[in-house]
Amino acid sequence: MKVLVLNCGSSSLKYQLFAMPEEAVLIKGTVEKIGSEEGTHSYKSDGKEGSVTAPILDHREALRQVLATLTAGEVGVLSSAEEIAAVGHRVVHGGEAFSSSILVTDDVKRAIADTIELAPLHNPANLLGIEAMEDVLPSVPQVAVFDTAFHQTMPQEHYLYPVPYVLYQRHKVRRYGFHGTSHRYCASRVPGLVGRDLSALKVISCHIGNGASLAAIERGRSIDTSMGMTPLEGVMMGTRSGDIDPSLHEFVMAKEGLSFDELTSMLNKHSGLFGVSGLSGDMRKVVEARAKGSMRASLAFAMYEYRIRKYIGAYAAAMNGVDVILFTAGVGENSPLLRGLICDNLTYLGVELDPAANDHGQGERLISTPASKVKVCVIPTNEELMIARDTNVLVTGMLAKEES
Ligand code: ADP
């Protein structure tokens, strides 16, 4: 079965076409500047790369261009668009309505629309992608895979904020968490690395990319995660502050003459590594500047490491222990420096890092010594594959039901 995985943003669209159940990626690509005369579509397939610039005025047009490329002579991964048997969509927010992936129906679309006020930047674009796909390939089943779904197993005492309960009752003010598809994928790789089933393990998953979140995963279920009602809560990130005192708002707005929107923008786009270093939210640039002696880059890096380590300690406490710590995403997968500093300060938990495996190993691997009580792993994340798997399972089940 050919499964197209889509991640639609407001002006961009990322896709991968999978052959399932083989899990082979046939082509991947990105369309950017949707809504402009200078839309670009770049793709990569089996060593072949291409890029086209053309007017792409909406998501429908973007999808038509993608389908034209998939079936074009020089790329030729499909003989016709009808070969696409299912489409899986990344949807950022599923609110409390979705605790797993689901086949898209009108009710599901309504529920995604109902959560727009919780994710005003993401859910409208995700929904737009679903509707555009319905127009372009009307008879193909679609599946929604939610970033929040994996964390719906959090108990109430972990997901509620200590504010008047009525805010939860009236407006669903609570913690939801994100990066769930990545945490779920990485957790699924752990048994193969440590030789024990997830049902016997306490795992701390550290997804550290531009956005960053940790999840406490007990017996395969997320029981806590660092992002909250929005992705602003939690550890320090590339440009987001993570946890701060909410009273900072009033003080800073008054002192700096900022509007509420300006302050929100500051906390999301001009804080974190970028805000403290004054240089960049890109970890590679911060590490370079730190190596050249920049005090502010050094401070930003130290704060970043410290705040992740504090959450690891908190989650070890939350689960009354930890068996596995895993690192994933851009920084988590590629920064031995950060992993090393974090782990060197977790010896009290029984973490013993293998410096050679940490510094020089490649890809998915254990980076703790055989004697280490807590196993530490690097696991390259693969959210697209997880979406393809869910889509394959749900659509195969639906077709089997239709046949019987
Ligand atoms: P996103 O959250 O946008 O998916 P990624 O997971 O791709 O982001 O992570 C991007 C981050 O990973 C950037 O801060 C980048 O600097 C960092 N990164 C990538 N490679 C390295 C590296 N070799 N060392 C340190 N940081 C890295």
Side-chain angles (χ1 to χ4, degrees), residues 80-122:
S80 97
E82 264 112 69
E83 272 186 69
I84 298 172
V87 180
H89 293 264
R90 175 191 182 212
V91 180
V92 167
H93 217 309
E96 288 191 328
F98 301 107
S99 54
S100 57
S101 304
I102 193 161
L103 282 160
V104 173
T105 61
D106 287 343
D107 283 347
V108 169
K109 283 193 287 175
R110 266 192 291 279
I112 294 172
D114 285 346
T115 56
I116 282 177
E117 59 181 0
L118 290 172
L121 296 180
H122 294 102

Side-chain angles (χ1 to χ4, degrees), residues 30 49 54 109 177 334:
T30 308
E49 287 183 34
K109 283 193 287 175
N334 297 303

Side-chain angles (χ1 to χ4, degrees), residues 231-392:
L232 188 54
E233 190 180 341
V235 291
M236 176 172 160
M237 306 179 213
T239 62
R240 293 186 201 130
S241 62
D243 298 337
I244 52 160
D245 182 341
S247 299
L248 180 147
H249 283 65
E250 191 187 359
F251 186 83
V252 173
M253 280 166 69
K255 291 284 182 195
E256 294 283 317
L258 297 179
S259 69
F260 194 82
D261 283 354
E262 285 167 334
L263 187 78
T264 303
S265 172
M266 184 185 93
L267 295 174
N268 277 289
K269 298 185 184 146
H270 299 108
S271 297
L273 284 177
F274 178 57
V276 178
S277 72
L279 295 169
S280 174
D282 188 307
M283 180 55 101
R284 276 168 295 201
K285 298 207 170 114
V286 173
V287 168
E288 269 168 38
R290 175 182 181 268
K292 287 185 188 144
S294 159
M295 291 295 290
R296 291 261 298 276
S298 186
L299 175 63
F301 188 89
M303 288 169 65
Y304 191 89
E305 181 272 324
Y306 175 70
R307 284 175 170 241
I308 294 169
R309 183 153 47 89
K310 266 207 314 189
Y311 261 97
I312 291 176
Y315 287 169
M319 296 189 287
N320 190 18
V322 52
D323 302 302
V324 178
I325 298 171
L326 72 85
F327 290 96
T328 192
V331 182
E333 290 166 28
N334 297 303
S335 180
L337 177 68
L338 182 78
R339 294 191 302 258
L341 285 172
I342 291 172
C343 291
D344 285 350
N345 287 291
L346 295 176
T347 47
Y348 76 99
L349 286 175
V351 170
E352 197 181 294
L353 202 66
D354 174 345
N358 183 42
D359 294 349
H360 307 300
Q362 289 290 317
E364 189 173 291
R365 65 197 187 277
L366 276 178
I367 57 169
S368 48
T369 64
S372 184
K373 188 167 150 268
V374 176
K375 304 295 173 207
V376 185
C377 332
V378 173
I379 301 180
T381 194
N382 197 341
E383 288 155 291
E384 294 79 12
L385 176 59
M386 210 67 201
I387 296 173
R389 281 184 188 162
D390 285 2
T391 305
N392 181 42

